[in-house]
Amino acid sequence: MKTIADVLREEGIEQGIEQGEQKGIAKTLLAFLSRKIEHLPEETKDKLRQLDGQKLETIVNDFHQIETVEDLNKYL
């Protein structure tokens, strides 16, 4: 039988993994966007780093439609 501590520990581990995945996606996405959009403002980069997994996934799926900072800002 799991204790409350075990359940909380497992939830914490799951949250940590999810946050790590989101950071990895954001980092990779920023690398690709920086190559695609010549002058990506730091403010835009910061906003992207703070997005949740669902919004990051949307940007990944629509990546081919993003050509300018203005296009990207529609997702932020």
Side-chain angles (χ1 to χ4, degrees), residues 1-17:
M1 182 171 187
K2 289 186 183 181
T3 66
I4 293 175
D6 292 335
V7 172
L8 292 175
R9 187 177 309 109
E10 287 175 5
E11 287 178 7
I13 290 170
E14 288 175 17
Q15 281 183 326
I17 290 170

Side-chain angles (χ1 to χ4, degrees), residues 1 3-4 6 8 15 18 21 29 31 37 47 50 53 55-56 63 67-68 71:
M1 182 171 187
T3 66
I4 293 175
D6 292 335
L8 292 175
Q15 281 183 326
E18 185 176 318
E21 288 174 351
L29 195 51
I37 301 171
K47 287 180 183 178
Q50 296 173 14
K55 288 185 181 181
L56 288 170
F63 182 80
E67 298 295 331
T68 65
D71 292 340

